Amino acid sequence: MGKLLSNQYRYYVIGTNFYKTRCKLPEGNHKRTMQTFYSHDPLAKTAKLAGFKMCWINFSSLEEGTEIKRHVDAYTYMGTLG
């Protein structure tokens, strides 16, 4: 979404993402069930594997040609629950 906003409106977003999340969803008959979801975002997974519960990445400071810069610039699916 941030890439689409940037291309059309020159707008940049500070956002959040997750690697793993759990939430209660309706199951029917006024019951709810606990569901677990995992993000497909490689940056969220890397932060999790590095042991971070929370982190911040200053994308403007990433050096061109590095692996993390290639991941940041590539299209990726991010976890969103709403």
Side-chain angles (χ1 to χ4, degrees):
M1 178 58 84
K3 187 75 162 177
L4 296 174
L5 289 172
S6 169
N7 289 342
Q8 186 163 350
Y9 302 108
R10 312 240 347 118
Y11 175 79
Y12 297 90
V13 185
I14 294 176
T16 60
N17 197 2
F18 63 86
Y19 170 68
K20 176 183 175 182
T21 190
R22 294 179 47 154
C23 62
K24 286 188 174 184
L25 297 176
E27 187 175 37
N29 297 327
H30 305 287
K31 294 182 182 179
R32 299 181 78 75
T33 179
M34 184 63 77
Q35 297 294 317
T36 302
F37 296 94
Y38 291 88
S39 168
H40 289 278
D41 181 349
L43 295 175
K45 184 175 183 179
T46 300
K48 171 69 174 170
L49 293 175
F52 295 116
K53 291 185 178 186
M54 184 183 309
C55 70
W56 177 79
I57 300 172
N58 181 354
F59 294 112
S60 66
S61 70
L62 300 176
E63 294 182 29
E64 294 294 331
T66 60
E67 186 174 355
I68 192 167
K69 179 69 171 162
R70 284 191 294 277
H71 280 295
V72 166
D73 289 343
Y75 185 86
T76 189
Y77 294 98
M78 297 175 69
T80 303
L81 291 175

Short mmCIF file of all heavy atoms in Angstrom, two decimals, residues 6-44:
data_model
loop_
_atom_site.label_atom_id
_atom_site.label_comp_id
_atom_site.label_asym_id
_atom_site.label_seq_id
_atom_site.Cartn_x
_atom_site.Cartn_y
_atom_site.Cartn_z
N SER A 6 2.93 6.13 -2.51
CA SER A 6 4.12 6.89 -2.88
C SER A 6 4.12 7.21 -4.37
O SER A 6 4.41 8.33 -4.77
CB SER A 6 5.37 6.09 -2.52
OG SER A 6 6.52 6.68 -3.07
N ASN A 7 3.79 6.23 -5.21
CA ASN A 7 3.79 6.44 -6.65
C ASN A 7 2.74 7.45 -7.08
O ASN A 7 2.99 8.28 -7.95
CB ASN A 7 3.55 5.12 -7.39
CG ASN A 7 4.74 4.19 -7.30
OD1 ASN A 7 5.85 4.61 -6.99
ND2 ASN A 7 4.51 2.92 -7.54
N GLN A 8 1.57 7.39 -6.50
CA GLN A 8 0.48 8.25 -6.94
C GLN A 8 0.48 9.62 -6.27
O GLN A 8 0.21 10.62 -6.90
CB GLN A 8 -0.87 7.57 -6.69
CG GLN A 8 -2.02 8.37 -7.28
CD GLN A 8 -3.28 7.54 -7.43
OE1 GLN A 8 -3.26 6.33 -7.26
NE2 GLN A 8 -4.36 8.19 -7.75
N TYR A 9 0.80 9.68 -4.98
CA TYR A 9 0.65 10.93 -4.24
C TYR A 9 1.95 11.46 -3.64
O TYR A 9 1.94 12.47 -2.96
CB TYR A 9 -0.36 10.74 -3.09
CG TYR A 9 -1.71 10.30 -3.56
CD1 TYR A 9 -2.15 9.00 -3.32
CD2 TYR A 9 -2.54 11.17 -4.23
CE1 TYR A 9 -3.40 8.59 -3.74
CE2 TYR A 9 -3.79 10.77 -4.66
CZ TYR A 9 -4.22 9.48 -4.42
OH TYR A 9 -5.45 9.08 -4.84
N ARG A 10 3.07 10.78 -3.85
CA ARG A 10 4.34 11.14 -3.23
C ARG A 10 4.16 11.23 -1.71
O ARG A 10 4.59 12.15 -1.04
CB ARG A 10 4.88 12.45 -3.79
CG ARG A 10 4.87 12.51 -5.28
CD ARG A 10 6.08 12.69 -6.09
NE ARG A 10 7.32 13.09 -5.54
CZ ARG A 10 8.40 12.32 -5.59
NH1 ARG A 10 8.35 11.12 -6.10
NH2 ARG A 10 9.52 12.74 -5.12
N TYR A 11 3.49 10.23 -1.18
CA TYR A 11 3.12 10.16 0.24
C TYR A 11 3.84 8.98 0.86
O TYR A 11 3.84 7.89 0.29
CB TYR A 11 1.61 9.98 0.34
CG TYR A 11 1.08 9.77 1.73
CD1 TYR A 11 0.91 10.85 2.59
CD2 TYR A 11 0.74 8.50 2.18
CE1 TYR A 11 0.41 10.66 3.87
CE2 TYR A 11 0.25 8.30 3.46
CZ TYR A 11 0.08 9.39 4.29
OH TYR A 11 -0.41 9.20 5.55
N TYR A 12 4.44 9.17 2.00
CA TYR A 12 5.15 8.10 2.68
C TYR A 12 4.50 7.81 4.03
O TYR A 12 4.05 8.73 4.70
CB TYR A 12 6.63 8.45 2.85
CG TYR A 12 7.30 8.61 1.51
CD1 TYR A 12 7.33 9.84 0.87
CD2 TYR A 12 7.84 7.51 0.86
CE1 TYR A 12 7.91 9.98 -0.38
CE2 TYR A 12 8.42 7.63 -0.38
CZ TYR A 12 8.46 8.87 -0.99
OH TYR A 12 9.03 8.98 -2.23
N VAL A 13 4.47 6.57 4.39
CA VAL A 13 3.72 6.14 5.56
C VAL A 13 4.66 5.50 6.59
O VAL A 13 5.59 4.79 6.22
CB VAL A 13 2.67 5.08 5.14
CG1 VAL A 13 1.80 4.71 6.31
CG2 VAL A 13 1.85 5.57 3.97
N ILE A 14 4.39 5.75 7.85
CA ILE A 14 5.00 4.97 8.91
C ILE A 14 3.95 3.94 9.30
O ILE A 14 2.83 4.31 9.67
CB ILE A 14 5.39 5.84 10.11
CG1 ILE A 14 6.49 6.82 9.71
CG2 ILE A 14 5.85 4.96 11.28
CD1 ILE A 14 6.88 7.77 10.79
N GLY A 15 4.27 2.67 9.17
CA GLY A 15 3.26 1.65 9.41
C GLY A 15 3.79 0.55 10.31
O GLY A 15 4.90 0.59 10.79
N THR A 16 2.93 -0.40 10.53
CA THR A 16 3.29 -1.54 11.36
C THR A 16 3.06 -2.82 10.58
O THR A 16 2.32 -2.86 9.60
CB THR A 16 2.44 -1.59 12.64
OG1 THR A 16 1.06 -1.69 12.27
CG2 THR A 16 2.65 -0.35 13.48
N ASN A 17 3.71 -3.85 11.02
CA ASN A 17 3.55 -5.16 10.43
C ASN A 17 3.80 -6.18 11.53
O ASN A 17 4.29 -5.84 12.60
CB ASN A 17 4.52 -5.37 9.27
CG ASN A 17 4.10 -6.53 8.38
OD1 ASN A 17 3.09 -7.16 8.59
ND2 ASN A 17 4.89 -6.81 7.38
N PHE A 18 3.48 -7.41 11.26
CA PHE A 18 3.69 -8.46 12.24
C PHE A 18 4.23 -9.69 11.56
O PHE A 18 4.10 -9.85 10.36
CB PHE A 18 2.38 -8.80 12.97
CG PHE A 18 1.30 -9.35 12.05
CD1 PHE A 18 1.25 -10.71 11.77
CD2 PHE A 18 0.36 -8.53 11.49
CE1 PHE A 18 0.28 -11.23 10.94
CE2 PHE A 18 -0.63 -9.04 10.66
CZ PHE A 18 -0.66 -10.39 10.38
N TYR A 19 4.86 -10.54 12.34
CA TYR A 19 5.27 -11.85 11.85
C TYR A 19 4.22 -12.89 12.23
O TYR A 19 3.79 -13.68 11.40
CB TYR A 19 6.64 -12.25 12.42
CG TYR A 19 6.97 -13.69 12.12
CD1 TYR A 19 7.22 -14.09 10.82
CD2 TYR A 19 7.00 -14.65 13.13
CE1 TYR A 19 7.50 -15.42 10.53
CE2 TYR A 19 7.28 -15.96 12.84
CZ TYR A 19 7.51 -16.35 11.55
OH TYR A 19 7.77 -17.66 11.27
N LYS A 20 3.77 -12.87 13.47
CA LYS A 20 2.77 -13.82 13.95
C LYS A 20 1.77 -13.05 14.81
O LYS A 20 2.16 -12.24 15.64
CB LYS A 20 3.44 -14.90 14.80
CG LYS A 20 2.48 -15.89 15.43
CD LYS A 20 3.24 -16.87 16.32
CE LYS A 20 2.28 -17.80 17.06
NZ LYS A 20 3.01 -18.71 17.95
N THR A 21 0.51 -13.31 14.60
CA THR A 21 -0.51 -12.68 15.42
C THR A 21 -1.63 -13.67 15.70
O THR A 21 -1.83 -14.61 14.94
CB THR A 21 -1.07 -11.40 14.75
OG1 THR A 21 -1.89 -10.70 15.69
CG2 THR A 21 -1.88 -11.72 13.51
N ARG A 22 -2.31 -13.44 16.80
CA ARG A 22 -3.46 -14.28 17.16
C ARG A 22 -4.65 -13.35 17.40
O ARG A 22 -4.49 -12.28 17.97
CB ARG A 22 -3.16 -15.05 18.44
CG ARG A 22 -2.06 -16.08 18.27
CD ARG A 22 -1.80 -16.79 19.55
NE ARG A 22 -3.09 -17.20 20.12
CZ ARG A 22 -3.28 -18.21 20.93
NH1 ARG A 22 -2.26 -18.91 21.32
NH2 ARG A 22 -4.46 -18.51 21.40
N CYS A 23 -5.81 -13.78 16.95
CA CYS A 23 -7.01 -12.97 17.18
C CYS A 23 -8.22 -13.89 17.26
O CYS A 23 -8.22 -15.00 16.76
CB CYS A 23 -7.18 -11.93 16.09
SG CYS A 23 -7.40 -12.61 14.45
N LYS A 24 -9.26 -13.37 17.93
CA LYS A 24 -10.51 -14.11 18.05
C LYS A 24 -11.43 -13.70 16.92
O LYS A 24 -11.70 -12.52 16.72
CB LYS A 24 -11.19 -13.82 19.39
CG LYS A 24 -10.52 -14.49 20.56
CD LYS A 24 -11.36 -14.30 21.81
CE LYS A 24 -10.77 -15.11 22.94
NZ LYS A 24 -11.58 -15.04 24.14
N LEU A 25 -11.90 -14.69 16.17
CA LEU A 25 -12.80 -14.44 15.05
C LEU A 25 -14.13 -15.13 15.28
O LEU A 25 -14.20 -16.16 15.95
CB LEU A 25 -12.17 -14.97 13.76
CG LEU A 25 -10.87 -14.32 13.33
CD1 LEU A 25 -10.32 -15.02 12.09
CD2 LEU A 25 -11.07 -12.85 13.06
N PRO A 26 -15.20 -14.56 14.71
CA PRO A 26 -16.51 -15.20 14.86
C PRO A 26 -16.51 -16.60 14.22
O PRO A 26 -15.96 -16.81 13.16
CB PRO A 26 -17.44 -14.28 14.08
CG PRO A 26 -16.71 -13.01 13.91
CD PRO A 26 -15.26 -13.33 13.96
N GLU A 27 -17.13 -17.53 14.92
CA GLU A 27 -17.22 -18.91 14.42
C GLU A 27 -18.67 -19.25 14.06
O GLU A 27 -18.92 -20.20 13.35
CB GLU A 27 -16.70 -19.87 15.49
CG GLU A 27 -16.59 -21.30 15.01
CD GLU A 27 -15.96 -22.19 16.05
OE1 GLU A 27 -16.22 -22.00 17.25
OE2 GLU A 27 -15.20 -23.07 15.67
N GLY A 28 -19.60 -18.50 14.56
CA GLY A 28 -21.02 -18.76 14.33
C GLY A 28 -21.71 -19.07 15.64
O GLY A 28 -21.07 -19.40 16.65
N ASN A 29 -23.03 -18.93 15.65
CA ASN A 29 -23.82 -19.18 16.87
C ASN A 29 -23.29 -18.40 18.06
O ASN A 29 -23.22 -18.91 19.18
CB ASN A 29 -23.89 -20.67 17.20
CG ASN A 29 -24.60 -21.44 16.12
OD1 ASN A 29 -25.51 -20.93 15.47
ND2 ASN A 29 -24.17 -22.67 15.89
N HIS A 30 -22.86 -17.15 17.81
CA HIS A 30 -22.36 -16.26 18.87
C HIS A 30 -21.13 -16.81 19.58
O HIS A 30 -20.88 -16.49 20.73
CB HIS A 30 -23.47 -15.95 19.88
CG HIS A 30 -24.69 -15.39 19.25
ND1 HIS A 30 -24.73 -14.10 18.75
CD2 HIS A 30 -25.90 -15.93 19.00
CE1 HIS A 30 -25.93 -13.88 18.24
NE2 HIS A 30 -26.65 -14.96 18.37
N LYS A 31 -20.37 -17.66 18.90
CA LYS A 31 -19.12 -18.18 19.45
C LYS A 31 -17.95 -17.57 18.70
O LYS A 31 -18.09 -17.08 17.58
CB LYS A 31 -19.07 -19.71 19.32
CG LYS A 31 -20.10 -20.42 20.17
CD LYS A 31 -19.96 -21.91 20.02
CE LYS A 31 -21.02 -22.63 20.84
NZ LYS A 31 -20.92 -24.08 20.69
N ARG A 32 -16.79 -17.59 19.33
CA ARG A 32 -15.57 -17.09 18.70
C ARG A 32 -14.48 -18.16 18.81
O ARG A 32 -14.50 -18.99 19.70
CB ARG A 32 -15.13 -15.79 19.36
CG ARG A 32 -16.19 -14.70 19.21
CD ARG A 32 -15.79 -13.41 19.83
NE ARG A 32 -14.85 -12.61 19.06
CZ ARG A 32 -15.18 -11.90 17.97
NH1 ARG A 32 -16.41 -11.91 17.52
NH2 ARG A 32 -14.27 -11.19 17.35
N THR A 33 -13.54 -18.11 17.89
CA THR A 33 -12.44 -19.05 17.88
C THR A 33 -11.11 -18.29 17.77
O THR A 33 -11.04 -17.26 17.12
CB THR A 33 -12.58 -20.05 16.71
OG1 THR A 33 -11.48 -20.95 16.72
CG2 THR A 33 -12.64 -19.37 15.37
N MET A 34 -10.09 -18.77 18.44
CA MET A 34 -8.77 -18.14 18.39
C MET A 34 -8.04 -18.65 17.15
O MET A 34 -7.89 -19.86 16.97
CB MET A 34 -7.97 -18.47 19.65
CG MET A 34 -6.64 -17.78 19.73
SD MET A 34 -6.73 -16.00 19.82
CE MET A 34 -7.21 -15.79 21.52
N GLN A 35 -7.59 -17.73 16.30
CA GLN A 35 -6.88 -18.08 15.08
C GLN A 35 -5.49 -17.45 15.10
O GLN A 35 -5.29 -16.36 15.63
CB GLN A 35 -7.64 -17.57 13.85
CG GLN A 35 -9.01 -18.20 13.67
CD GLN A 35 -8.91 -19.68 13.36
OE1 GLN A 35 -8.08 -20.12 12.56
NE2 GLN A 35 -9.77 -20.46 14.00
N THR A 36 -4.53 -18.12 14.49
CA THR A 36 -3.16 -17.63 14.39
C THR A 36 -2.85 -17.38 12.92
O THR A 36 -3.16 -18.21 12.06
CB THR A 36 -2.16 -18.65 14.97
OG1 THR A 36 -2.51 -18.90 16.33
CG2 THR A 36 -0.74 -18.14 14.89
N PHE A 37 -2.22 -16.23 12.64
CA PHE A 37 -1.84 -15.86 11.28
C PHE A 37 -0.36 -15.49 11.26
O PHE A 37 0.16 -14.92 12.21
CB PHE A 37 -2.66 -14.66 10.78
CG PHE A 37 -4.11 -14.95 10.68
CD1 PHE A 37 -4.96 -14.63 11.72
CD2 PHE A 37 -4.64 -15.53 9.54
CE1 PHE A 37 -6.32 -14.89 11.64
CE2 PHE A 37 -5.99 -15.81 9.45
CZ PHE A 37 -6.83 -15.48 10.51
N TYR A 38 0.31 -15.83 10.15
CA TYR A 38 1.72 -15.48 9.94
C TYR A 38 1.82 -14.57 8.73
O TYR A 38 1.16 -14.79 7.72
CB TYR A 38 2.56 -16.74 9.71
CG TYR A 38 2.69 -17.61 10.92
CD1 TYR A 38 1.75 -18.59 11.19
CD2 TYR A 38 3.74 -17.45 11.80
CE1 TYR A 38 1.86 -19.39 12.32
CE2 TYR A 38 3.87 -18.24 12.92
CZ TYR A 38 2.92 -19.21 13.17
OH TYR A 38 3.04 -20.00 14.29
N SER A 39 2.68 -13.58 8.82
CA SER A 39 2.94 -12.66 7.72
C SER A 39 3.87 -13.32 6.72
O SER A 39 4.68 -14.17 7.08
CB SER A 39 3.58 -11.39 8.27
OG SER A 39 4.08 -10.60 7.23
N HIS A 40 3.80 -12.88 5.47
CA HIS A 40 4.75 -13.34 4.45
C HIS A 40 5.84 -12.31 4.22
O HIS A 40 6.58 -12.39 3.25
CB HIS A 40 4.03 -13.64 3.14
CG HIS A 40 3.18 -14.87 3.21
ND1 HIS A 40 3.70 -16.13 3.06
CD2 HIS A 40 1.87 -15.04 3.45
CE1 HIS A 40 2.73 -17.02 3.19
NE2 HIS A 40 1.62 -16.37 3.44
N ASP A 41 5.93 -11.32 5.10
CA ASP A 41 6.91 -10.25 4.97
C ASP A 41 8.28 -10.73 5.45
O ASP A 41 8.44 -11.07 6.63
CB ASP A 41 6.45 -9.04 5.78
CG ASP A 41 7.39 -7.86 5.69
OD1 ASP A 41 8.51 -8.01 5.16
OD2 ASP A 41 7.01 -6.77 6.14
N PRO A 42 9.28 -10.78 4.57
CA PRO A 42 10.60 -11.28 4.99
C PRO A 42 11.26 -10.39 6.05
O PRO A 42 12.04 -10.88 6.86
CB PRO A 42 11.42 -11.31 3.69
CG PRO A 42 10.71 -10.39 2.76
CD PRO A 42 9.27 -10.41 3.16
N LEU A 43 10.96 -9.10 6.07
CA LEU A 43 11.55 -8.22 7.09
C LEU A 43 10.97 -8.52 8.46
O LEU A 43 11.69 -8.53 9.46
CB LEU A 43 11.33 -6.76 6.72
CG LEU A 43 12.03 -6.29 5.45
CD1 LEU A 43 11.64 -4.86 5.13
CD2 LEU A 43 13.53 -6.43 5.58
N ALA A 44 9.67 -8.78 8.53
CA ALA A 44 9.04 -9.13 9.80
C ALA A 44 9.60 -10.46 10.32
O ALA A 44 9.87 -10.60 11.51
CB ALA A 44 7.52 -9.21 9.64
#
